[in-house]
Amino acid sequence: MFSHGKDIKIFTGNANRPLAEEICKQMGAKLGEAEVGIFSDGEIFVSLYETVRGSDVFVVQPTCGLVNKSLMELLIMIDALKRASAGRITAVMPYYGYARQDRKAKARDPITAKLVANLITEAGADRVLTMDLHAAQIQGFFDIPVDHLAGNPIFVDYYAKKFGTECENMMVVSPDVGSVARARIFAQKLHMDMAIVDKRRQKANSCEVMNIIGNVEGRDCILFDDMVDTAGSLCNAAKALVEVGGAKSVHACASHGVLSGPAIERIDNSVITELALLDTIPAGPTTSEKIKYLSVAPMFSEAIERIYQEVSISKLFR
């Protein structure tokens, strides 16, 4: 299956073990034997139960859930692999936590996305494989190679099969001005028109006013974003499409379903017909019947194989 003799090994922490197992299944590989646990005082320990000397090692660990715990698991696993003489270590981070802290929004703010990049590099990672960073320029925070996968081909394939020729009569909607670029690429691939939800406060202490840039009246719409956290912005945008713009129906999709706080309740009570999410972050104990998860395992498994074989991964962006 692979082009050279050095073996490949895949390990995972506790953040999204089902995804790591599915990636291994897609590749016909075995998940590496390791234990990642917690001592009684809360410190994390890692034990590797097989040799990695000279191996090309991939650590599948999104920094989700308890983000600080997941990040420390990743850093300690990388350190353990480095000290065990692994040939090359790739941090596979389907979801990159702290990505929203990518700039100084106000005085004395940290740039935590850069700090996390430094930590991963200093721990001993040789490269990073991730998907749909909140800001693409975070790639430049690393001094090691970063392969930045896009989730939109998965959504394009899903909606093309779901709606078929009806796609040309639908509209892609960016839920805010900041998501326009990624929504435009998605719309072009599905040959859809595009609209934008523009929200603003007319003056201090007044309610937000939602304006729809583009005519969505009587149209089936797809809200396209990179992540859903508390779901407030997404649900408000969907409500504006129906009540202000006169949209016929609203579907939504996002790469990362953080779904914290009141997110599930908001989604259940929203006008959204279906919310499609990628499984970069595993589903929590409580979910909604409106949420559908799409697997990123085929894309990540192919990316890992291509990195191992040292061939281009640009095919995965088409």
Side-chain angles (χ1 to χ4, degrees):
M1 178 170 64
F2 302 114
S3 62
H4 56 75
K6 189 172 68 172
D7 62 338
I8 183 172
K9 296 201 173 181
I10 300 172
F11 290 87
T12 186
N14 297 313
N16 198 345
R17 189 177 182 88
L19 176 58
E21 290 172 345
E22 185 60 27
I23 288 171
C24 288
K25 182 179 177 181
Q26 294 277 335
M27 296 175 62
K30 182 174 73 75
L31 190 61
E33 294 183 22
E35 182 182 2
V36 182
I38 301 177
F39 289 117
S40 58
D41 64 351
E43 291 182 0
I44 293 167
F45 70 85
V46 170
S47 297
L48 304 176
Y49 296 133
E50 59 184 86
T51 181
V52 296
R53 186 175 296 272
S55 300
D56 201 353
V57 181
F58 295 81
V59 183
V60 181
Q61 179 77 344
T63 51
C64 57
L66 299 173
V67 60
N68 298 323
K69 175 177 176 290
S70 298
L71 178 59
M72 280 304 298
E73 284 186 6
L74 174 63
L75 297 175
I76 294 170
M77 288 191 78
I78 291 170
D79 184 70
L81 291 163
K82 181 182 178 182
R83 294 176 188 279
S85 302
R88 181 172 65 174
I89 303 168
T90 300
V92 181
M93 304 175 69
Y95 171 69
Y96 185 87
Y98 286 108
R100 285 172 284 183
Q101 298 183 43
D102 64 320
R103 67 196 186 283
K104 292 186 71 170
K106 62 181 188 296
R108 296 175 294 280
D109 269 0
I111 304 179
T112 318
K114 169 61 175 169
L115 173 62
V116 171
N118 290 345
L119 290 170
I120 292 167
T121 304
E122 284 299 313
D126 296 295
R127 71 186 306 124
V128 170
L129 174 61
T130 188
M131 173 174 276
D132 284 339
L133 292 167
H134 185 65
Q137 60 266 28
I138 292 173
Q139 295 173 84
F141 292 176
F142 288 88
D143 294 322
I144 55 177
V146 177
D147 292 305
H148 185 207
L149 299 178
N152 72 64
I154 299 173
F155 290 122
V156 168
D157 184 59
Y158 173 69
Y159 286 117
K161 290 177 179 176
K162 183 179 180 71
F163 296 115
T165 55
E166 295 178 24
C167 281
E168 295 183 3
N169 299 317
M170 300 176 71
M171 289 194 78
V172 172
V173 181
S174 173
D176 53 53
V177 175
S179 300
V180 169
R182 63 172 62 93
R184 182 183 293 117
I185 294 169
F186 179 61
Q188 288 172 342
K189 289 186 175 183
L190 283 170
H191 307 290
M192 292 183 182
D193 294 328
M194 197 182 91
I196 303 166
V197 176
D198 178 37
K199 59 183 178 182
R200 64 186 71 182
R201 292 186 186 275
Q202 304 290 15
K203 57 183 179 180
N205 300 320
S206 66
C207 295
E208 274 187 340
V209 176
M210 295 282 192
N211 297 311
I212 312 299
I213 303 173
N215 184 11
V216 300
E217 188 172 357
R219 306 283 291 272
D220 295 306
C221 298
I222 301 175
L223 274 166
F224 184 80
D225 209 352
D226 68 319
M227 73 169 65
V228 180
D229 190 352
T230 60
S233 295
L234 189 77
C235 293
N236 287 338
K239 183 179 179 181
L241 285 172
V242 173
E243 295 184 359
V244 178
K248 182 180 175 183
S249 69
V250 181
H251 290 72
C253 61
S255 299
H256 311 299
V258 180
L259 302 180
S260 62
I264 298 297
E265 182 182 354
R266 284 174 173 172
I267 292 164
D268 277 335
N269 296 330
S270 73
V271 299
I272 295 172
T273 303
E274 179 189 77
L275 171 60
L277 298 171
L278 302 181
D279 62 351
T280 55
I281 297 173
T286 305
T287 188
S288 168
E289 292 183 357
K290 292 184 177 182
I291 296 175
K292 180 179 178 62
Y293 282 91
L294 308 177
S295 178
V296 297
M299 182 175 283
F300 272 95
S301 63
E302 186 170 353
I304 289 171
E305 288 189 25
R306 286 174 171 271
I307 291 169
Y308 175 65
Q309 294 168 354
E310 297 181 348
V311 298
S312 172
I313 68 167
S314 60
K315 169 182 175 288
L316 300 177
F317 293 92
R318 296 170 191 161

